[in-house]
Amino acid sequence: AQTVTQSQPEMSVQEAETVTLSCTYDTSESDYYLFWYKQPPSRQMILVIRQEAYKQQNATENRFSVNFQKAAKSFSLKISDSQLGDAAMYFCAYRSPNSGGSNYKLTFGKGTLLTVNP
Amino acid sequence: KAGVTQTPRYLIKTRGQQVTLSCSPISGHRSVSWYQQTPGQGLQFLFEYFSETQRNKGNFPGRFSGRQFSNSRSEMNVSTLELGDSALYLCASTRGRGGTDTQYFGPGTRLTVL
């Protein structure tokens, strides 16, 4: 079974600074998908960024980028120019390859609570 | 395009009762997954439905069940509620075409069992 570990329960960053959230995972599969989701106090889970394991290039979405190290099974999220609105719980998640259009089960880490200080 | 909707948003029940939660996916989405979120256990996968068929099930007791209708709307039912069932229940919908489909989450239903 796949497991996802987020070793930082809490992190804080100053507004406009950069912060990196860590995530490691364990799997025997060679093809899979990795995600970072953000859950603000409103509890709505929002996709931040996605990485396909077969792609060597690290995904980026505006101020958000990942450092994907497949051999090390590491998937960290870097938030640049942090904003007050980035404050939220961040979850790293793993998903196996799809089979016949199904199998969208996500395995989540425990989350990292990010505080942004003005 | 409307997002994923979940009803009700808040629910208070007592032990032993049963509850039904509803999830309406984004129009055109055929796959719906359910998750339970608690402070202690985090986010745990309950089940996944695709075209009215349960394709995947998490490690939950048989008191937890679900179904999907022909319009892709899904319901989950919890019978004989226990205090430990208090949680935020999230559903997520996906197009169901495989590959890099994105899962879109609803706002959740907060269930409190007294």
Side-chain angles (χ1 to χ4, degrees):
Chain A
Q2 295 82 19
T3 59
V4 177
T5 303
Q6 293 179 248
S7 59
Q8 307 152 315
E10 296 184 29
M11 291 280 286
S12 64
V13 63
Q14 290 297 126
E15 199 175 0
E17 296 293 308
T18 296
V19 64
T20 299
L21 309 184
S22 301
C23 172
T24 59
Y25 57 94
D26 187 28
T27 183
S28 58
E29 296 172 318
S30 59
D31 191 21
Y32 46 87
Y33 305 97
L34 296 166
F35 305 84
W36 278 99
Y37 280 89
K38 165 185 176 181
Q39 189 178 42
S42 68
R43 312 302 281 175
Q44 179 90 41
M45 194 79 78
I46 302 164
L47 176 66
V48 174
I49 200 164
R50 173 182 62 206
Q51 175 80 43
E52 293 85 4
Y54 61 85
K55 290 186 177 179
Q56 292 187 329
Q57 187 173 6
N58 290 323
T60 62
E61 287 288 345
N62 301 313
R63 298 183 295 106
F64 299 88
S65 61
V66 299
N67 183 3
F68 173 49
Q69 302 289 328
K70 191 172 184 179
K73 296 180 182 175
S74 171
F75 182 60
S76 60
L77 174 70
K78 186 172 82 170
I79 306 174
S80 304
D81 186 25
S82 297
Q83 301 175 359
L84 295 177
D86 295 334
M89 183 72 87
Y90 285 81
F91 292 96
C92 178
Y94 172 102
R95 193 178 89 199
S96 294
N98 298 106
S99 172
S102 65
N103 189 17
Y104 292 100
K105 172 187 173 183
L106 289 168
T107 300
F108 287 92
K110 293 292 188 184
T112 296
L113 181 62
L114 178 66
T115 302
V116 181
N117 301 309
Chain B
K1 202 175 200 181
V4 179
T5 57
Q6 292 187 245
T7 56
R9 292 291 311 278
Y10 302 91
L11 207 48
I12 299 175
K13 292 285 187 179
T14 56
R15 278 183 299 174
Q17 287 186 309
Q18 77 165 25
V19 67
T20 299
L21 312 182
S22 179
C23 172
S24 293
I26 292 171
S27 178
H29 284 199
R30 297 165 63 195
S31 174
V32 173
S33 301
W34 288 89
Y35 295 84
Q36 181 196 63
Q37 186 175 21
T38 60
Q41 298 299 317
L43 283 148
Q44 293 186 285
F45 172 79
L46 279 158
F47 23 65
E48 173 198 335
Y49 287 89
F50 178 79
S51 292
E52 301 180 65
T53 302
Q54 188 180 89
R55 294 296 185 101
N56 220 336
K57 190 177 192 304
N59 188 25
F60 278 81
R63 300 185 296 106
F64 290 81
S65 63
R67 59 179 175 168
Q68 187 180 35
F69 302 94
S70 59
N71 61 358
S72 295
R73 189 178 70 85
S74 178
E75 287 181 349
M76 67 162 282
N77 183 278
V78 187
S79 62
T80 318
L81 283 166
E82 300 177 0
L83 295 179
D85 298 333
S86 293
L88 180 68
Y89 290 88
L90 295 167
C91 85
S93 83
T94 315
R95 285 182 307 168
R97 295 180 189 172
T100 57
D101 275 359
T102 295
Q103 281 154 292
Y104 296 90
F105 282 82
T109 293
R110 169 74 65 186
L111 172 65
T112 302
V113 182
L114 303 176

